[in-house]
Amino acid sequence: MSSNPSPIDIDPAKKLPAALYVVATPIGNLDDMTPRAIATLKAVDIIACEDTRTSGKLLNHFNIDTPTWAYHEHNSEVQTPKLIERIQSGYAVALISDAGTPLISDPGFQLVQAAHEARVKVVPVAGVSAVITALSVAGLPSDKFTFVGFLPAKTHGRQKLLQTYHERSETLIFYEAPHRIIASLEDMATVFGHKRSITYCRELTKTFETVVKSSIGELIEFVKQDSNQQKGEIVLVVAGHSAQKQLDESVQHDKLLLRLLEDLSVKKAAALASDITGVKKNALYQRLLQLQQQDS
């Protein structure tokens, strides 16, 4: 079993211990770059980048002149052993992706896995992740969630994969490419239903950030009517099956309570609604009081 070192206080003027440093970078707003990430990237010997041109803009912004190596899905088989050999020879190597935390929908897993197998130290330098950023603003249950990533490119593959998640109770998180967003949402409507709750997160932390919580059916129309919503980086956060069922039941209970309240007192309306739904009377009584406050 490999072990990680304890967190390290980094002085850019000093050489870092030989290790693989997995460094999170901003997903849009450069102010989200942490001081520790900047110090780490300045102090390592090599930065392995998903795209050296994309990362070059970030590194130039923070005056980081550390040498970079291209490390992506097309060269990882060749580059992985070379980087591990460098670390074993005493080099400190940082791994970054184009944006966010490495290994989330990028090839970094192979390098981290190889580091553990070679008993090389792996140090996380925490920061932004689009998955957690989207979940934090989605307004959907966050105690349990599954990150699915990108859906298949073709309709048959998408619907087949989505069907495996149809009955899942936890919140589901997807990435999607802008040119496929409408087709993917339509497939979600086919499999999950038009009423399933969803939060659409586009261009998070950037100038044209969009966060919209609605049903899948309503979201399809929103995206179709605005071509700007078919551009940029997109994260979809979808309610789980049981969460949607609870939401639907809650809406029905509210309608029932309000109808009973037209003819009965709060106490009697809650008691009768409890007999009809099986929900505890006190919970319904408290909900009725909330509904009255909202109407006042």
Side-chain angles (χ1 to χ4, degrees):
M1 179 182 296
S2 61
S3 60
N4 291 334
S6 57
I8 298 172
D9 291 328
I10 298 165
D11 181 349
K14 297 179 180 178
K15 178 176 171 57
L16 284 174
L20 175 62
Y21 297 84
V22 182
V23 182
T25 58
I27 59 176
N29 192 322
L30 293 180
D31 288 341
D32 291 335
M33 187 76 165
T34 69
R36 185 181 178 215
I38 296 171
T40 300
L41 295 179
K42 286 183 175 181
V44 295
D45 299 296
I46 299 169
I47 302 173
C49 308
E50 189 176 357
D51 185 323
T52 55
R53 292 169 298 180
T54 299
S55 295
K57 298 174 184 177
L58 174 76
L59 300 178
N60 288 335
H61 180 82
F62 291 105
N63 298 314
I64 298 168
D65 58 7
T66 304
T68 59
W69 282 26
Y71 184 83
H72 47 72
E73 61 181 337
H74 302 297
N75 72 1
S76 58
E77 292 286 344
V78 174
Q79 293 288 64
T80 295
K82 290 182 179 180
L83 288 167
I84 296 299
E85 182 182 0
R86 288 293 191 283
I87 299 170
Q88 290 175 325
S89 299
Y91 286 72
V93 174
L95 171 67
I96 63 174
S97 64
D98 286 348
T101 300
L103 275 72
I104 309 299
S105 291
D106 74 42
F109 163 74
Q110 188 173 344
L111 181 58
V112 174
Q113 183 184 48
H116 284 293
E117 290 175 350
R119 298 191 178 280
V120 164
K121 293 179 179 179
V122 181
V123 181
V125 181
V128 181
S129 167
V131 176
I132 302 303
T133 303
L135 183 63
S136 72
V137 297
L140 293 169
S142 56
D143 55 331
K144 293 181 181 180
F145 65 91
T146 292
F147 172 60
V148 182
F150 284 97
L151 290 165
K154 296 184 178 180
T155 294
H156 176 73
R158 277 197 301 270
Q159 291 192 4
K160 185 176 180 181
L161 178 62
L162 288 169
Q163 195 63 51
T164 65
Y165 291 96
H166 178 261
E167 300 293 328
R168 297 282 285 269
S169 61
E170 73 273 25
T171 296
L172 305 172
I173 305 176
F174 303 86
Y175 284 167
E176 193 46 275
H179 65 279
R180 290 199 300 264
I181 184 59
I182 292 176
S184 291
L185 288 172
E186 289 176 338
D187 286 337
M188 285 185 178
T190 298
V191 177
F192 295 151
H194 284 74
K195 294 184 178 180
R196 181 78 72 97
S197 291
I198 185 171
T199 301
Y200 176 77
C201 302
R202 186 182 72 90
E203 294 290 88
L204 289 171
T205 80
K206 300 176 184 176
T207 302
F208 299 104
E209 176 180 274
T210 305
V211 177
V212 175
K213 187 175 187 293
S214 66
S215 66
I216 295 176
E218 291 172 342
L219 183 59
I220 291 171
E221 295 307 311
F222 171 76
V223 174
K224 282 183 175 180
Q225 291 170 11
D226 185 353
S227 60
N228 288 322
Q229 300 305 325
Q230 300 166 42
K231 301 174 183 177
E233 304 289 334
I234 298 169
V235 185
L236 301 171
V237 187
V238 183
H241 179 71
S242 61
Q244 184 63 42
K245 182 179 178 182
Q246 291 171 4
L247 179 61
D248 292 342
E249 288 178 350
S250 177
V251 171
Q252 292 301 317
H253 292 166
D254 285 355
K255 290 180 179 179
L256 174 62
L257 287 168
L258 291 172
R259 175 62 187 88
L260 293 175
L261 194 58
E262 293 178 8
D263 301 313
L264 301 170
S265 67
V266 173
K267 185 176 181 180
K268 289 183 178 179
L272 182 54
S274 178
D275 290 340
I276 295 170
T277 64
V279 178
K280 290 184 178 180
K281 181 172 64 177
N282 187 55
L284 293 172
Y285 181 83
Q286 294 299 323
R287 180 57 181 161
L288 257 175
L289 294 178
Q290 291 176 354
L291 292 171
Q292 282 186 318
Q293 289 177 353
Q294 292 173 9
D295 290 338
S296 61

